[in-house]
Amino acid sequence: MYLSAERLALANQTVWETFQRTSVACQAIPHWETGDPAQSSVRSDSAPPSAPLPIEHVSIPFSVTLAEAIAPTPDALLAKVMQATTWLALIVDIGVIWRIRAKVVTTQDYYPPVPWPPPDFADVILATLIRARAAVELAGYRAPSCIFVDTESLIDLSKLVGGYAGTDVLLGPAMINALHRVESLEQNLFVPPPSPPPAGLTRLILLGRRERIAQGGAWDASPGEEPVDLAVSVMPSLEVVGDTQTNTIELNVRVSGAVRVKDPYGVVALVSV
């Protein structure tokens, strides 16, 4: 053991708090704990029933020196823990949104396609959001919705309407109370997007809800009524691997779980055309 029990507990608390603050999946999608850290698969609970989903393990390795591990103050250790956890949250978010995107329906399944961003901003964009909202309401998800957007779409949504930011004017009538910008929907991660975006690119994802969930409060909500949830077998935590050939201590921040899209009609994608 390379960390005292107190230092390990503090590091684990830091992992959990950092993950909560930096992961969109944690903030926007309810979860349930499987209760078995060694579980390899989990039931899908989808309709119609499908095969069990594999539990996926994500870990970010990093190393600390012995001096950092046993220093009188934990600042150096916790700084590295927070940095690794931030990368863990980013990777988890990318995987979660990509899996949701692969299974959702689009507004074109219900309505004629609308270019995004619409040329006549305020009226057409509001109509587009309301139609997406109507699609999830048809499946019974009538509580305020959550929406995931890319950077360019957030800029479009934030354009001034009557002197007010578009997000203040447009999201209310569409009954959207939670907005998250995610890297997973960018045209190219960390690369400026081309103009215009290619046809068929998912720009926004509207997540229907049956519970009233506040912005960032999904982790404490019940997953049973929601179209998407996270099955978690290993909560975000720190793992001590051991010493290395360079006389440092190898550590991992890790999480294990599966994304369950139980009702694809409770999630609608808006795509560029």
Side-chain angles (χ1 to χ4, degrees), residues 90-268:
L90 174 62
I91 292 173
V92 168
D93 288 347
I94 291 172
V96 168
I97 297 299
W98 281 357
R99 280 158 180 75
I100 294 174
R101 184 180 63 183
K103 293 191 176 183
V104 300
V105 297
T106 69
T107 48
Q108 283 90 315
D109 296 323
Y110 299 97
Y111 304 100
V114 176
W116 187 273
D120 181 13
F121 172 72
D123 293 339
V124 180
I125 201 170
L126 179 57
T128 303
L129 293 176
I130 290 176
R131 285 168 178 161
R133 167 71 186 186
V136 297
E137 285 185 349
L138 185 64
Y141 300 97
R142 292 184 172 271
S145 301
C146 172
I147 193 167
F148 304 110
V149 303
D150 62 6
T151 301
E152 294 302 312
S153 297
L154 181 57
I155 293 172
D156 295 333
L157 285 170
S158 301
K159 291 178 181 177
L160 292 180
V161 179
Y164 297 92
T167 49
D168 296 334
V169 177
L170 303 175
L171 299 186
M175 287 290 288
I176 298 170
N177 74 334
L179 170 68
H180 297 274
R181 189 201 64 81
V182 293
E183 285 77 8
S184 319
L185 296 179
E186 303 291 354
Q187 296 180 45
N188 294 290
L189 285 178
F190 313 117
V191 177
S195 182
L201 180 70
T202 299
R203 304 293 304 279
L204 304 91
I205 294 177
L206 183 79
L207 178 62
R209 285 173 167 166
R210 287 200 175 107
E211 294 180 88
R212 289 184 173 271
I213 302 175
Q215 173 89 27
W219 196 257
D220 297 321
S222 169
E225 301 84 3
E226 304 308 311
V228 180
D229 66 23
L230 304 175
V232 182
S233 61
V234 176
M235 297 291 285
S237 56
L238 184 70
E239 176 184 30
V240 180
V241 179
D243 53 354
T244 68
Q245 293 180 344
T246 57
N247 295 322
T248 59
I249 302 170
E250 184 80 9
L251 305 171
N252 284 331
V253 288
R254 59 184 180 173
V255 65
S256 295
V259 185
R260 307 195 310 165
V261 182
K262 298 179 291 184
D263 184 2
Y265 291 98
V267 193
V268 174

Side-chain angles (χ1 to χ4, degrees), residues 60-86:
I60 301 294
F62 66 102
S63 60
V64 298
T65 65
L66 183 60
E68 290 172 329
I70 65 174
T73 60
D75 297 9
L77 171 65
L78 297 185
K80 290 190 174 182
V81 166
M82 286 187 286
Q83 183 181 38
T85 304
T86 300

